Amino acid sequence: MRDVTYESHGVPLEEYQLTRKDHREQQSSEDAGRWAKKIIAEKKAEEAADPVLKAHRDEVARRAWKMITSRKTPDHELMRWRVRLYCGHIVETRRHAESARPTFAGASSMQCPECGKDPSYIVAFEPLGLLAEPPKPRKPAPAPTPRPPTRAQLERRLAELEAEVSELRRQAAASGSGDP
Ligand SMILES: [Zn+2]
């Protein structure tokens, strides 16, 4: 996983006065929510009128869901964030560890687990740490360092070499005597 510098925005635990931007963002989150509900309602109406279309969409959705859920994100790839929400509640949430802030990719608001406000815009956040320590990369076992041969081993090897040499001398002398 690449290195990520986690960002902070405000201090969630401190007193906080909602800014104009917060009100604006909350408004647009709510607008987006309403828009999504409207689209869903329209799709439902279409599907009610067209069972084949509904079956097709259900199948696509089922496959997409299977793809999303087939791989559970390991704990060490999840970052914990303390966030302050528009409604004033301070809660903890999780995002994929590759996100430098919790408000990436349409995640700038969430349902408040305290009061249920949905959506509730994230007005301040700070990283808390990964859900689990990343597994340590396995180090290859160090190659055994060859020990220097002992004196006894050296003497044995020397004796073997001497025996080889005298055997070669003997053979050379034997073949030399046969030649003219
Ligand atoms: Zn709340």
Side-chain angles (χ1 to χ4, degrees):
M1 204 156 48
R2 66 198 174 87
D3 277 342
V4 179
T5 308
Y6 295 105
E7 298 169 17
S8 286
H9 178 68
V11 182
L13 294 177
E14 273 180 9
E15 278 297 304
Y16 189 83
Q17 206 65 44
L18 290 171
T19 63
R20 289 168 65 117
K21 179 172 176 288
D22 294 336
H23 290 300
R24 207 167 53 233
E25 294 289 352
Q26 173 65 21
Q27 191 56 51
S28 73
S29 293
E30 286 177 18
D31 289 348
R34 264 195 295 276
W35 178 78
K37 283 201 184 94
K38 187 167 159 274
I39 297 287
I40 290 166
E42 281 174 13
K43 283 196 190 298
K44 283 236 186 312
E46 271 175 24
E47 288 168 3
D50 188 345
V52 177
L53 177 74
K54 178 173 175 12
H56 175 70
R57 282 197 185 144
D58 284 352
E59 175 60 18
V60 171
R62 196 187 59 76
R63 268 192 240 156
W65 183 246
K66 209 174 153 191
M67 241 157 67
I68 292 164
T69 53
S70 62
R71 182 183 175 273
K72 185 184 174 290
T73 307
D75 285 353
H76 68 269
E77 286 182 22
L78 286 172
M79 187 67 183
R80 294 161 51 234
W81 294 89
R82 177 181 291 133
V83 298
R84 174 187 274 269
L85 300 176
Y86 183 81
C87 57
H89 286 116
I90 296 157
V91 298
E92 197 182 303
T93 187
R94 293 166 189 176
R95 295 286 187 275
H96 196 276
E98 290 203 342
S99 294
R101 42 198 151 96
T103 52
F104 263 139
S108 57
S109 64
M110 57 184 274
Q111 182 176 13
C112 176
E114 298 285 331
C115 69
K117 188 171 179 58
D118 186 23
S120 197
Y121 180 67
I122 296 172
V123 298
F125 55 82
E126 62 185 357
L128 292 176
L130 294 173
L131 195 56
E133 281 299 305
K136 298 220 162 48
R138 260 195 234 169
K139 274 191 211 154
T145 37
R147 274 202 219 155
T150 62
R151 187 178 172 85
Q153 282 171 326
L154 284 173
E155 280 172 354
R156 201 159 50 241
R157 183 72 188 124
L158 187 62
E160 284 168 12
L161 288 172
E162 275 172 353
E164 265 179 48
V165 168
S166 51
E167 174 61 15
L168 286 171
R169 281 216 187 98
R170 195 188 56 73
Q171 283 175 12
S175 63
S177 63
D179 282 343

